[in-house]
Amino acid sequence: MTVQSLDEIRDLAAQLRVDSIRCSTAAGSGHPTSSMSAADLMAVLQARHLRYEWQRPDDPANDHLIFSKGHASPLLYSMFKAAGVVSDDELMTGYRRFGSRLEGHPTPILPWVDVATGSLGQGLPDGVGVALAGKYLDELTYRVWVLCGDSETAEGSMWEALDKAAYYRLSNLTAIVDVNRLGQRGPTELGWDLDAYARRVEAFGCHAMIIDGHDLEEIDKAYLGVADTDRPTVILARTRKGRGFDEVEDREGWHGRPLPEEMAQRAIIELGGPRDLVVTGPSPDGGSPRVWPDGDVHLPRFEVGAKVATRLAFGQALAAVGARGHVIALDGEVGNSTHLEEFAKWYPERYFEMFISEQQLIAAAVGLSVRGYIPFAATFAAFFTRAYDFIRMSAISMANIRLCGSHAGTEIGADGPSQMALEDFAMMRAVYGSTVLYPSDATSAASLVAQMADRDGVVYMRTTRGAYPVLYGPDETFPIGGSKLLRSSPDDQVTLIGAGVTLHNCLAAADELGRDGIHARVVDLYSIKPIDTQALLEAAAATHGRLVVAEDHYPAGGIGGAVLEACNDAGHPVRIRHLAVSGLPGSGTPEELMAAAGISASHIAQAARETLSWLRQGGL
Amino acid sequence: MTVQSLDEIRDLAAQLRVDSIRCSTAAGSGHPTSSMSAADLMAVLQARHLRYEWQRPDDPANDHLIFSKGHASPLLYSMFKAAGVVSDDELMTGYRRFGSRLEGHPTPILPWVDVATGSLGQGLPDGVGVALAGKYLDELTYRVWVLCGDSETAEGSMWEALDKAAYYRLSNLTAIVDVNRLGQRGPTELGWDLDAYARRVEAFGCHAMIIDGHDLEEIDKAYLGVADTDRPTVILARTRKGRGFDEVEDREGWHGRPLPEEMAQRAIIELGGPRDLVVTGPSPDGGSPRVWPDGDVHLPRFEVGAKVATRLAFGQALAAVGARGHVIALDGEVGNSTHLEEFAKWYPERYFEMFISEQQLIAAAVGLSVRGYIPFAATFAAFFTRAYDFIRMSAISMANIRLCGSHAGTEIGADGPSQMALEDFAMMRAVYGSTVLYPSDATSAASLVAQMADRDGVVYMRTTRGAYPVLYGPDETFPIGGSKLLRSSPDDQVTLIGAGVTLHNCLAAADELGRDGIHARVVDLYSIKPIDTQALLEAAAATHGRLVVAEDHYPAGGIGGAVLEACNDAGHPVRIRHLAVSGLPGSGTPEELMAAAGISASHIAQAARETLSWLRQGGL
């Protein structure tokens, strides 16, 4: 059906409101009033401006629509009904129900949803990532439309997003801010001071338009106008929460509350009753994304025994993996430290500087993943904590992003604890579907970087600041989920388990123990999640259940926890002597700090000696 | 010595530069050029404007100086030398050395440092917290001066800070931005476009001043001018990185690099040689903080069996604890959901709305902690992930902050995974010196809230959305680090361990098992860190090593991990049957979602049955 005239669009907007009310009342939860404020904005968009093939959500030329205010899901799903891709029955019986794809907040289980939202301040940063792909990689004319709430402009991440959008001149990005002036618990900071919003937006380099968000003509003109600027546009729409039903319109106390049945009936009557309009909006321009041809990947080869930092190996390996045209690098303004800049030397077109804004760094990766690119984002490992909410949400978005964190643990030395990732394994292991890697040498680091490119989900690698000897020849393989047995003999009395820098300490400890006639097995646990449970249990069995685990991480939830959990889950709990960073570190040399933390070679050797008195425990 | 005239101050600035060069060259690492750009700004401040009793850092009337650009620690420590509180010898032999208090980035080991910095974009938000204390709680005239870098303005948290500073009209806060135009790896986004910075600052409601950061007279006038406004001031100072030594001034490639010895010698000569000026700056206004008298705390009492959500108990208990005058509540715009607003009803003067900006929420708590207040910050548990970097840093700041996260786990139901904290235990347990609590009922929640007020470090409590029966009478005690045995008999065959909502599932499972004649012990593990290892081992010993742990959290690093780690560390590894959230949840009822996650009562009962075939393992 053609919904084209403003009168028809007015009908569509009423339908979106009615359906938002109906589905949330039926579900007994949801945010109808936050949907009603934006219904006019979305009706005009859907009918006249969103260039989208609803039957072909994977069409690369499609516009993108992201609800950064994910709680307005009733409105989004009502749009899907109006597009003819979700039935009224599904909307009414599925919304927020168990097993339904119409979840409380949108997720990409739905083919028309790019990213999961619901943690405010993320949809716009994600949209920046999609728009980057459109302008610089796909080179297609699709637009990215992001519906934002006014409350979420209090999140710093929104300003990281606008800043980067302006920096990259993302004229293909339009944020539509539904300024309904009411947050969850009362008025927002800025209320209806649209000028205050506009000053901020303009100061951040974007084009601001102020409109009446319930005047269809104004809305239409604003959308037409976004094409005229070479900057990103932020449409600031003055709206009323609960618009269209007098009993709730612009009233406090109605956030996140469905209308009770009887009230819903009155609202539907006031809005002219239910409708079943089906809209065919404009079609995309068509076209195909630019082809970024794949070349052959030739990983760097390192000489055994040469001292090479794994962060350098990461950079060089990523530059090699960059032969694959879809690999993209994102820097958090530390590319000379993480060595991500090695990639930039070869592929400057696919290297994006995100400056010191880790939330936008991750969101850009998520947005690029939406368009099928293979993003690698790198910063100091400690600073991924800045973006943990984004990392958590990217798992719900089913995004495929690769993260590399350098300068981890006490090993970094003089810079002190603010720069030491000591919680990263706990944080990253907890993420749904994540992969956590910590190579000890350049060869394994390079091999794992190549595998990361093909790995789904959140894939994290920690690299080490200092240069340590290459342990493996270039033809060794390091499957994710595996481990390496570096030292072993039939006479092994104890197993030393390390990863990254502590693996080198384990090797030194094994040497020290060997001088005392104690045979120690050494396991390189480069894959922390998934973990090589079989190898751990075999080592336990071979060495009388005596395991020492050393890690440059705080005690809780790190490698020690991973070992205990894995063996327990396999039904074979083990005992470990666990060496982790026990106090709050300060500055010093890596050696001093690792010694103070209790994870040096001599601590490992001493711990191993202590295990010799253990009674046999654990193992297969 | 009097350093008062601009000529004398010029000498002082040269001294600060020389000492910054000397100490970093001696240490072999550090950021001299980032110190040199701000030396003039700090020399004028120290000599004429920073009202500070250097011998009495705890004087409540003192101004506060925070280096948000913590990497300029050579400059800060050189100021300490100029103040006469750090000797030249300490500076030269201590900086960045092991065991020294002059760490690579400032930490409050030093009595003149309020908060740890080094993760950029945090010092200014922390300063907002201190300024809030000054204006609204202490009611003293001290000023908060924050030296910021230009690169860190890319962090969204800086804009959260300016937004809140303006909202609360913190005229006692002055940010000094050292716009030296060079970041770590090259030019900043905005370079020397001071007008662009000013537009942003003004748009965010603060007073912007643009000055030449090397013109002592302009600097002095700017500092004098901050008193004339009722808004926070941001001084945008155009500076040159490495100022004062021609070989490095305004050149790329010198970030974070000490000058080689020979170069340092040339620089010192160019700067007029070493000096030993000692400065006495202005004195504070004096005065004492407003007294907030303590009343008696009468915790709410709950009837056993009544259904009360622990989030409501939290709010009511905090309102009771609010009788203590130093207790402050900070809301992330969800006070009606977390029930923090119960506190506001009684103590509106000590309730601060931080809107949806979780980073600033935590930073405000840190800042209040600096001034000895007892802050409680609350939001949905999932959204603390947004501020993990701030939480991590607050541990290094040795701040005492209390966090309450509501709406955790699959139990929240229809809202879906974006709102479900499923990583919070892993995240919070990993933090240095943290406490992690998860009460199951209103009585224990209230008791723990009262104890949180007196607990140091990062203290986190998770509360549950739904209402569940009160389990304990009002006179029970719940020491942090303890647990409760809710069901036990001499015939117990298996132990069920839960916390929060899963404790109720464990009780239901015990009932179900009881109907089959299986005696199950039930442990309420309300304290996850520290954890009651003794009780766990006793339970294991009493029930043939058969332990079932159920948690509404992803599998890695949560309660199961805590149990395994604790028993292992005690030398008595245990085997657990671990039930945690195994897939990516969607929407549904709490019951449906807990069943789908495998943590329902019937899953627990089934897991318990399976343990009956275990061979005896573990325990004391």
Side-chain angles (χ1 to χ4, degrees):
Chain A
M1 176 184 299
T2 321
V3 175
Q4 268 294 325
S5 73
L6 291 185
D7 279 342
E8 289 163 337
I9 292 174
R10 194 163 289 115
D11 256 0
L12 172 63
Q15 170 174 321
L16 297 177
R17 290 190 167 95
V18 166
D19 287 342
S20 295
I21 292 167
R22 290 171 65 230
C23 71
S24 52
T25 291
S29 73
H31 298 73
T33 58
S34 302
S35 297
M36 293 159 80
S37 57
D40 297 316
L41 294 163
M42 290 300 101
V44 177
L45 185 72
Q46 184 170 13
R48 290 195 177 176
H49 300 275
L50 183 73
R51 300 166 304 173
Y52 197 92
E53 288 292 351
W54 289 96
Q55 301 303 331
R56 295 205 313 271
D58 289 334
D59 188 326
N62 276 342
D63 279 1
H64 292 260
L65 172 62
I66 295 172
F67 266 41
S68 195
K69 52 176 289 185
H71 55 287
S73 56
L75 175 61
L76 182 64
Y77 302 158
S78 297
M79 292 172 75
F80 294 164
K81 173 190 146 179
V85 292
V86 162
S87 71
D88 191 70
D89 183 58
E90 181 177 3
L91 184 65
M92 292 300 291
T93 62
Y95 182 52
R96 287 177 164 253
R97 304 313 201 289
F98 181 72
S100 162
R101 59 183 183 169
L102 303 181
E103 296 187 13
H105 294 76
T107 74
I109 293 176
L110 291 159
W112 317 282
V113 171
D114 284 338
V115 291
T117 52
S119 178
L120 289 170
Q122 299 207 19
L124 184 61
D126 290 345
V128 167
V130 179
L132 273 176
K135 180 169 174 130
Y136 294 98
L137 300 168
D138 288 336
E139 297 181 0
L140 286 171
T141 57
Y142 60 75
R143 302 200 64 80
V144 181
W145 307 87
V146 183
L147 178 66
C148 306
D150 48 357
S151 285
E152 69 178 324
T153 61
E155 289 283 13
S157 58
M158 297 294 274
W159 303 98
E160 294 183 16
L162 292 182
D163 180 52
K164 293 308 162 303
Y167 181 81
Y168 282 107
R169 304 194 80 74
L170 299 178
S171 54
N172 53 345
L173 177 73
T174 304
I176 304 162
V177 187
D178 176 19
V179 187
N180 63 27
R181 90 166 182 90
L182 290 175
Q184 168 168 331
R185 41 128 291 289
T188 58
E189 277 182 85
L190 296 178
W192 273 326
D193 188 350
L194 281 284
D195 290 328
Y197 283 106
R199 282 192 297 273
R200 295 183 181 194
V201 165
E202 289 279 344
F204 271 72
C206 299
H207 175 50
M209 296 187 197
I210 296 177
I211 62 167
D212 175 344
H214 301 309
D215 181 323
L216 303 186
E217 206 159 341
E218 270 194 48
I219 298 168
D220 192 48
K221 272 191 198 152
Y223 292 162
L224 282 171
V226 301
D228 295 336
T229 163
D230 66 346
R231 293 183 292 165
T233 298
V234 179
I235 296 173
L236 300 159
R238 188 185 199 277
T239 62
R240 293 163 72 87
K241 202 159 176 170
R243 169 72 168 192
F245 179 41
D246 190 57
E247 292 180 43
V248 300
E249 186 172 321
D250 191 35
R251 307 219 179 168
E252 290 191 40
W254 281 101
H255 181 92
R257 288 178 60 193
L259 304 186
E261 184 61 42
E262 212 181 339
M263 214 171 163
Q265 287 310 322
R266 289 199 297 278
I268 293 166
I269 290 167
E270 191 172 321
L271 286 160
R275 295 170 181 78
D276 282 299
L277 298 172
V278 177
V279 197
T280 310
S283 294
D285 286 351
S288 299
R290 172 174 169 178
V291 173
W292 295 87
D294 282 344
D296 291 337
V297 173
H298 299 287
L299 287 180
R301 295 167 75 88
F302 303 97
E303 198 181 332
V304 172
K307 287 191 173 180
V308 182
T310 51
R311 60 184 170 124
L312 178 61
F314 159 76
Q316 294 179 345
L318 188 63
V321 173
R324 296 172 60 175
H326 277 215
V327 171
I328 315 292
L330 298 161
D331 175 34
E333 223 274 275
V334 285
N336 53 339
S337 289
T338 60
H339 287 293
L340 192 77
E341 66 177 16
E342 300 292 323
F343 185 95
K345 294 175 188 167
W346 294 88
Y347 306 107
E349 281 182 301
R350 288 187 270 127
Y351 187 89
F352 294 95
E353 181 55 67
M354 304 312 289
F355 297 95
I356 306 181
S357 56
E358 293 80 8
Q359 296 182 102
Q360 182 56 59
L361 178 72
I362 300 297
V366 171
L368 293 173
S369 167
V370 165
R371 286 293 309 126
Y373 293 95
I374 303 174
F376 281 77
T379 183
F380 284 18
F383 302 144
F384 281 122
T385 56
R386 196 62 156 261
Y388 193 31
D389 198 15
F390 284 73
I391 294 167
R392 171 185 82 87
M393 287 295 296
S394 81
I396 305 175
S397 289
M398 296 179 282
N400 301 320
I401 63 174
R402 294 96 190 150
L403 312 178
C404 180
S406 66
H407 292 75
T410 61
E411 192 272 345
I412 67 158
D415 273 331
S418 64
Q419 322 288 302
M420 293 172 181
L422 288 163
E423 311 85 354
D424 56 331
F425 294 142
M427 166 175 100
M428 294 294 190
R429 285 208 310 124
V431 170
Y432 177 75
S434 65
T435 299
V436 180
L437 307 169
Y438 186 23
S440 304
D441 88 330
T443 302
S444 53
S447 164
L448 291 167
V449 168
Q451 294 174 68
M452 288 171 81
D454 294 313
R455 183 97 180 161
D456 284 347
V458 175
V459 186
Y460 171 65
M461 173 186 280
R462 184 204 256 204
T463 60
T464 302
R465 178 175 182 276
Y468 294 87
V470 174
L471 300 172
Y472 303 103
D475 299 320
E476 292 262 5
T477 59
F478 303 86
I480 290 174
S483 66
K484 283 282 178 187
L485 202 53
L486 268 166
R487 301 273 175 88
S488 72
S489 79
D491 306 321
D492 289 340
Q493 294 157 277
V494 57
T495 303
L496 312 181
I497 301 166
V501 66
T502 58
L503 192 268
H504 294 275
N505 297 351
C506 286
L507 290 170
D511 290 342
E512 183 182 327
L513 292 165
R515 289 191 289 271
D516 293 348
I518 301 169
H519 293 268
R521 172 175 292 229
V522 177
V523 174
D524 176 358
L525 203 63
Y526 62 81
S527 182
I528 295 164
K529 181 184 177 189
I531 197 167
D532 191 350
T533 311
Q534 188 67 22
L536 292 168
L537 292 176
E538 283 170 9
T543 60
H544 316 282
R546 300 183 193 121
L547 305 178
V548 177
V549 177
E551 60 181 314
D552 199 356
H553 186 278
Y554 282 136
I559 301 178
V563 168
L564 291 172
E565 290 171 12
C567 295
N568 176 77
D569 291 351
H572 297 284
V574 293
R575 178 178 178 186
I576 65 170
R577 180 77 169 73
H578 187 203
L579 305 182
V581 176
S582 51
L584 183 63
S587 291
T589 66
E591 294 69 31
E592 288 166 339
L593 292 170
M594 288 195 284
I599 58 171
S600 68
S602 62
H603 285 95
I604 295 168
Q606 180 55 30
R609 285 188 195 96
E610 287 165 19
T611 66
L612 298 182
S613 64
W614 288 3
L615 298 176
R616 185 188 172 84
Q617 301 195 32
L620 282 175
Chain B
M1 177 180 302
T2 322
V3 175
Q4 269 294 326
S5 73
L6 292 185
D7 280 342
E8 289 163 339
I9 292 173
R10 194 163 290 115
D11 256 359
L12 172 61
Q15 172 175 320
L16 297 177
R17 289 190 169 94
V18 166
D19 286 343
S20 296
I21 292 168
R22 290 171 64 232
C23 71
S24 52
T25 292
S29 73
H31 298 73
T33 58
S34 302
S35 298
M36 293 158 80
S37 57
D40 297 315
L41 294 163
M42 290 299 101
V44 177
L45 185 73
Q46 184 170 13
R48 292 195 176 176
H49 299 275
L50 184 73
R51 300 165 305 173
Y52 197 90
E53 288 292 350
W54 289 97
Q55 301 303 330
R56 296 206 312 273
D58 288 334
D59 188 327
N62 276 342
D63 279 2
H64 293 260
L65 173 62
I66 296 172
F67 266 42
S68 195
K69 51 176 290 185
H71 55 287
S73 55
L75 175 61
L76 182 66
Y77 302 158
S78 297
M79 292 172 74
F80 295 164
K81 172 188 148 181
V85 293
V86 162
S87 70
D88 192 70
D89 182 58
E90 181 177 2
L91 184 65
M92 292 299 292
T93 62
Y95 182 52
R96 290 180 163 249
R97 303 314 201 288
F98 181 70
S100 163
R101 58 184 184 167
L102 303 181
E103 295 187 12
H105 295 76
T107 74
I109 293 177
L110 290 159
W112 317 281
V113 171
D114 284 337
V115 292
T117 52
S119 179
L120 288 170
Q122 299 206 18
L124 184 60
D126 290 345
V128 167
V130 179
L132 273 176
K135 180 169 175 130
Y136 294 99
L137 300 168
D138 288 336
E139 298 181 359
L140 286 170
T141 58
Y142 59 75
R143 303 200 63 80
V144 181
W145 307 88
V146 184
L147 179 66
C148 306
D150 48 355
S151 285
E152 68 178 325
T153 62
E155 288 283 12
S157 57
M158 296 295 274
W159 303 97
E160 294 182 16
L162 292 181
D163 180 51
K164 293 307 163 300
Y167 181 82
Y168 282 107
R169 304 196 79 73
L170 299 179
S171 54
N172 54 346
L173 178 73
T174 304
I176 304 161
V177 187
D178 177 20
V179 187
N180 64 26
R181 91 164 183 92
L182 290 175
Q184 167 169 332
R185 40 129 292 289
T188 59
E189 275 182 88
L190 296 178
W192 272 326
D193 188 349
L194 281 284
D195 290 327
Y197 283 105
R199 282 192 297 272
R200 294 183 183 194
V201 164
E202 289 278 345
F204 271 72
C206 299
H207 175 51
M209 296 187 196
I210 295 177
I211 63 168
D212 175 344
H214 301 308
D215 181 322
L216 302 186
E217 204 158 342
E218 270 194 49
I219 297 169
D220 191 48
K221 272 192 198 150
Y223 292 162
L224 283 170
V226 301
D228 295 337
T229 163
D230 66 346
R231 291 183 293 165
T233 298
V234 178
I235 296 172
L236 299 159
R238 187 184 198 278
T239 61
R240 291 163 73 87
K241 201 160 176 168
R243 169 72 169 192
F245 181 42
D246 189 59
E247 293 180 43
V248 299
E249 186 172 321
D250 192 36
R251 307 220 178 167
E252 289 191 41
W254 281 100
H255 181 93
R257 288 177 61 193
L259 304 186
E261 185 60 42
E262 211 181 340
M263 216 170 161
Q265 288 309 324
R266 288 198 299 277
I268 293 165
I269 291 167
E270 190 172 321
L271 286 159
R275 295 169 182 79
D276 282 298
L277 297 172
V278 177
V279 197
T280 309
S283 294
D285 284 351
S288 299
R290 172 174 168 178
V291 174
W292 295 87
D294 282 344
D296 292 336
V297 172
H298 300 288
L299 287 181
R301 295 167 75 87
F302 302 97
E303 197 180 331
V304 172
K307 288 192 173 178
V308 182
T310 50
R311 60 182 169 126
L312 179 60
F314 160 76
Q316 294 179 344
L318 189 63
V321 173
R324 297 173 59 175
H326 277 215
V327 171
I328 314 293
L330 298 161
D331 175 34
E333 223 274 276
V334 286
N336 54 339
S337 289
T338 60
H339 289 292
L340 191 79
E341 66 176 15
E342 299 292 323
F343 185 94
K345 295 175 188 167
W346 293 89
Y347 307 106
E349 282 182 300
R350 288 188 270 127
Y351 187 90
F352 294 96
E353 182 54 67
M354 304 312 289
F355 298 94
I356 306 180
S357 57
E358 292 80 9
Q359 296 182 103
Q360 182 56 61
L361 178 73
I362 299 297
V366 171
L368 294 172
S369 167
V370 165
R371 286 293 310 125
Y373 293 95
I374 303 174
F376 281 77
T379 184
F380 284 18
F383 302 143
F384 281 122
T385 55
R386 196 62 157 262
Y388 193 33
D389 198 15
F390 284 74
I391 294 168
R392 171 184 82 85
M393 287 296 295
S394 81
I396 304 174
S397 290
M398 297 179 281
N400 302 320
I401 63 174
R402 295 93 188 153
L403 312 178
C404 181
S406 66
H407 293 74
T410 61
E411 193 272 347
I412 66 159
D415 272 332
S418 64
Q419 320 289 302
M420 294 173 181
L422 288 163
E423 310 86 354
D424 55 333
F425 294 141
M427 167 176 98
M428 295 293 189
R429 285 207 309 124
V431 170
Y432 177 75
S434 65
T435 299
V436 180
L437 308 169
Y438 186 24
S440 303
D441 88 330
T443 302
S444 54
S447 164
L448 291 167
V449 169
Q451 293 175 68
M452 288 170 81
D454 294 313
R455 182 100 181 158
D456 284 347
V458 174
V459 187
Y460 171 66
M461 173 185 281
R462 184 205 258 203
T463 60
T464 302
R465 179 175 181 275
Y468 295 86
V470 173
L471 300 171
Y472 302 104
D475 299 320
E476 293 261 6
T477 60
F478 302 87
I480 290 174
S483 67
K484 284 282 179 188
L485 203 53
L486 268 166
R487 301 273 175 88
S488 71
S489 80
D491 305 321
D492 289 341
Q493 295 157 276
V494 57
T495 302
L496 313 181
I497 300 167
V501 65
T502 59
L503 193 268
H504 294 275
N505 296 351
C506 286
L507 290 170
D511 290 343
E512 182 182 327
L513 291 165
R515 288 190 288 273
D516 293 348
I518 301 168
H519 293 268
R521 171 175 293 229
V522 178
V523 174
D524 176 358
L525 202 64
Y526 60 81
S527 183
I528 295 163
K529 181 184 176 188
I531 198 166
D532 192 349
T533 311
Q534 189 66 20
L536 292 169
L537 292 177
E538 283 170 8
T543 61
H544 315 281
R546 300 184 193 120
L547 304 178
V548 177
V549 177
E551 60 181 314
D552 199 357
H553 186 277
Y554 283 135
I559 302 179
V563 167
L564 291 173
E565 291 172 12
C567 296
N568 177 77
D569 291 350
H572 296 285
V574 293
R575 177 178 178 186
I576 64 171
R577 180 77 167 77
H578 188 203
L579 305 182
V581 176
S582 52
L584 183 63
S587 291
T589 66
E591 295 69 31
E592 288 166 339
L593 292 171
M594 289 195 283
I599 59 170
S600 69
S602 63
H603 286 94
I604 295 168
Q606 181 55 29
R609 285 188 195 98
E610 287 165 18
T611 66
L612 298 182
S613 64
W614 287 4
L615 298 176
R616 185 187 171 87
Q617 301 197 29
L620 281 175

